[in-house]
Amino acid sequence: MEDSKYAKELDVAVRVVHMACSLSQRVQEGLVSSSSNDQVKAKDDDSLVTVADWSVQATVSWMLSESFCNQKVSIVAEEDVQTLSKSDSVGLLTAVVKTVNECLAEAPKYGLQGPRNALGASEILEAISRCNSSGGRNGRHWVLDPVDGTLGFVRGDQYAVALALIEEGKVVIGVLGCPNYSTKKEWLNHHHQYYQSMPKLSDTSDKWEKGCVMYAQRGSGEAWMQPLIHGDQKFNWSDSSQRVQVSPIDDPALATFCEPVEKANSNHSFTAGVAHSMGLKKQPLRVHSMVKYAAIARGDAEIFMKFARSGYKEKIWDHAAGVIIVEEAGGVVTDAGGHPLDFSRGLYLEGLDRGIVVCCGTTLHEKLIGAVYASWESSNL
């Protein structure tokens, strides 16, 4: 771990995301193998929330507060305790308390200090509730999406644990845990049935086949990837990091492009028009969560575009960690007008011009922006 202004913050963030990935994997395995859905709830906006969402948020909140106890830790995160606090959610809360304590008990494996005694329900609810910052352009704010891509998560498919640090309105650190994203690019193409039917990987199999954690720091010009920790392994900086870089492809005909799976907050028909206008030949890779950013940073895909349907507002926790990792790996991230994303205006990416475009380099980016303008004028959006 090199010395830098954010050395401690990055060190803690990477270790904590490793812990969160381990937690979420255990919950996902339970969900996929069980016919019961008592660990999944629907929120007011019809999106899903699971035991893993609350458990990861509580774990990360507690660990950050303990690690930086001399600071006023500000955390922006997706979940609140409203559902968990209801009288009919006693079973859910019990499951969250058990899951969090199991995870915190493993903190020493990751070189972190856990609590002396198991946390009670009130302490865990408090840890979740502490994540109530609204961000902004002043001060430091951690930004967490405990389980990005919950629909993929409950299906046994791709999802991510995303943690970023924003200082004075700029993203300075990004860590992205992708528990189901191995080095085998073709795994991105398989749906959740593939994961369910897949034999469990043994501890002797390739460590890179079991998912990864990616991270980057602003201005370093480098992005890195580590394999997840499994079994009795202990976290070790010295022998596990591998540098990642974006793809060198600049020909649209050879480029692979990603888009969200869900149609609710993404306009697939407009994306198809842009792809045609730009000369993209390959079928889109529809991937849950910020794993799309990871795919660009690792060179497994060249383009990610998202054009939300009218009225949908992009939230900062859905993009912060992914954006900095792609940029430091050599990629370009802007809105559809070519402007940088603004993380200084609270919970949402305000002022966004139509959508978000992510490319492996400037050549494809310029062509993509041109295709967006051409397609926009011929569409009725």
Side-chain angles (χ1 to χ4, degrees):
M1 194 51 212
E2 65 182 53
D3 188 34
S4 71
K5 180 180 178 183
Y6 303 105
K8 182 181 179 183
E9 288 82 356
L10 184 59
D11 179 72
V12 170
V14 169
R15 293 171 191 268
V16 167
V17 170
H18 270 285
M19 285 180 66
C21 286
S22 175
L23 181 162
S24 62
Q25 282 183 307
R26 283 197 295 266
V27 176
Q28 188 183 51
E29 285 170 8
L31 283 174
V32 170
S33 62
S34 170
S35 58
S36 168
N37 63 353
D38 59 354
Q39 295 198 342
V40 183
K41 287 278 187 179
K43 294 193 278 191
D44 291 341
D45 63 358
D46 290 333
S47 62
L48 299 175
V49 61
T50 72
V51 164
D53 293 82
W54 287 303
S55 299
V56 168
Q57 187 160 315
T59 299
V60 174
S61 172
W62 192 89
M63 292 303 311
L64 290 178
S65 297
E66 288 296 307
S67 299
F68 301 101
C69 53
N70 59 336
Q71 305 174 16
K72 186 179 184 300
V73 177
S74 168
I75 306 174
V76 182
E78 182 166 16
E79 308 307 338
D80 58 37
V81 296
Q82 193 175 343
T83 303
L84 266 188
S85 302
K86 291 179 179 176
S87 57
D88 62 350
S89 296
V90 174
L92 260 183
L93 180 56
T94 300
V96 169
V97 171
K98 179 176 182 288
T99 304
V100 171
N101 281 311
E102 285 176 352
C103 182
L104 290 175
E106 292 188 338
K109 190 165 84 171
Y110 301 91
L112 295 168
Q113 184 70 48
R116 290 183 179 178
N117 302 304
L119 301 184
S122 61
E123 293 169 294
I124 286 172
L125 288 171
E126 182 188 348
I128 297 170
S129 298
R130 273 201 301 268
C131 305
N132 61 359
S133 170
S134 54
R137 63 180 70 253
N138 299 315
R140 280 188 170 193
H141 308 284
W142 291 96
V143 179
L144 170 69
D145 194 338
V147 176
D148 181 47
T150 306
L151 186 58
F153 178 79
V154 300
R155 290 175 171 175
D157 210 325
Q158 297 290 347
Y159 68 98
V161 177
L163 182 62
L165 178 62
I166 292 178
E167 186 168 62
E168 309 306 330
K170 302 287 186 185
V171 184
V172 295
I173 286 172
V175 185
L176 201 53
C178 307
N180 288 339
Y181 186 17
S182 81
T183 49
K184 294 188 176 179
K185 174 183 175 180
E186 60 270 20
W187 283 21
L188 280 176
N189 291 292
H190 293 285
H191 293 297
H192 63 284
Q193 290 92 344
Y194 176 79
Y195 290 97
Q196 290 181 40
S197 63
M198 205 172 62
K200 293 296 179 190
L201 293 161
S202 71
D203 285 339
T204 58
S205 64
D206 181 0
K207 65 182 181 180
W208 289 103
E209 289 187 358
K210 300 178 178 178
C212 63
V213 170
M214 300 176 69
Y215 61 92
Q217 180 180 306
R218 173 70 59 202
S220 67
E222 297 175 346
W224 298 85
M225 175 171 70
Q226 296 176 335
L228 294 185
I229 306 299
H230 289 276
D232 295 328
Q233 291 176 315
K234 289 192 175 182
F235 180 88
N236 188 340
W237 275 108
S238 62
D239 61 3
S240 61
S241 295
Q242 175 180 309
R243 189 173 174 186
V244 295
Q245 290 180 292
V246 295
S247 162
I249 289 174
D250 58 9
D251 181 353
L254 301 176
T256 297
F257 81 97
C258 302
E259 65 180 355
V261 176
E262 299 85 357
K263 293 181 179 179
N265 60 8
S266 180
N267 193 318
H268 286 170
S269 60
F270 180 70
T271 304
V274 173
H276 178 75
S277 175
M278 188 180 173
L280 297 174
K281 304 296 185 187
K282 296 184 179 182
Q283 287 297 306
L285 201 57
R286 289 182 177 159
V287 182
H288 291 283
S289 82
M290 261 187 274
V291 168
K292 293 180 283 291
Y293 281 104
I296 304 292
R298 255 173 49 171
D300 287 347
E302 286 71 40
I303 294 169
F304 160 38
M305 45 183 157
K306 182 181 181 186
F307 299 95
R309 295 187 177 277
S310 178
Y312 182 84
K313 295 176 75 173
E314 297 288 353
K315 303 167 191 75
I316 61 172
W317 53 71
D318 285 328
H319 300 280
V323 168
I324 188 172
I325 290 170
V326 166
E327 289 178 341
E328 296 303 317
V332 183
V333 185
T334 69
D335 67 15
H339 313 107
L341 307 188
D342 185 354
F343 289 93
S344 72
R345 297 170 66 177
L347 301 180
Y348 300 98
L349 291 172
E350 304 286 1
L352 203 62
D353 185 346
R354 288 167 290 186
I356 294 172
V357 296
V358 184
C359 292
C360 62
T362 54
T363 302
L364 281 180
H365 183 259
E366 287 169 6
K367 290 177 180 177
L368 181 52
I369 295 293
V372 169
Y373 275 97
S375 300
W376 195 268
E377 299 201 345
S378 63
S379 75
N380 56 4
L381 291 178

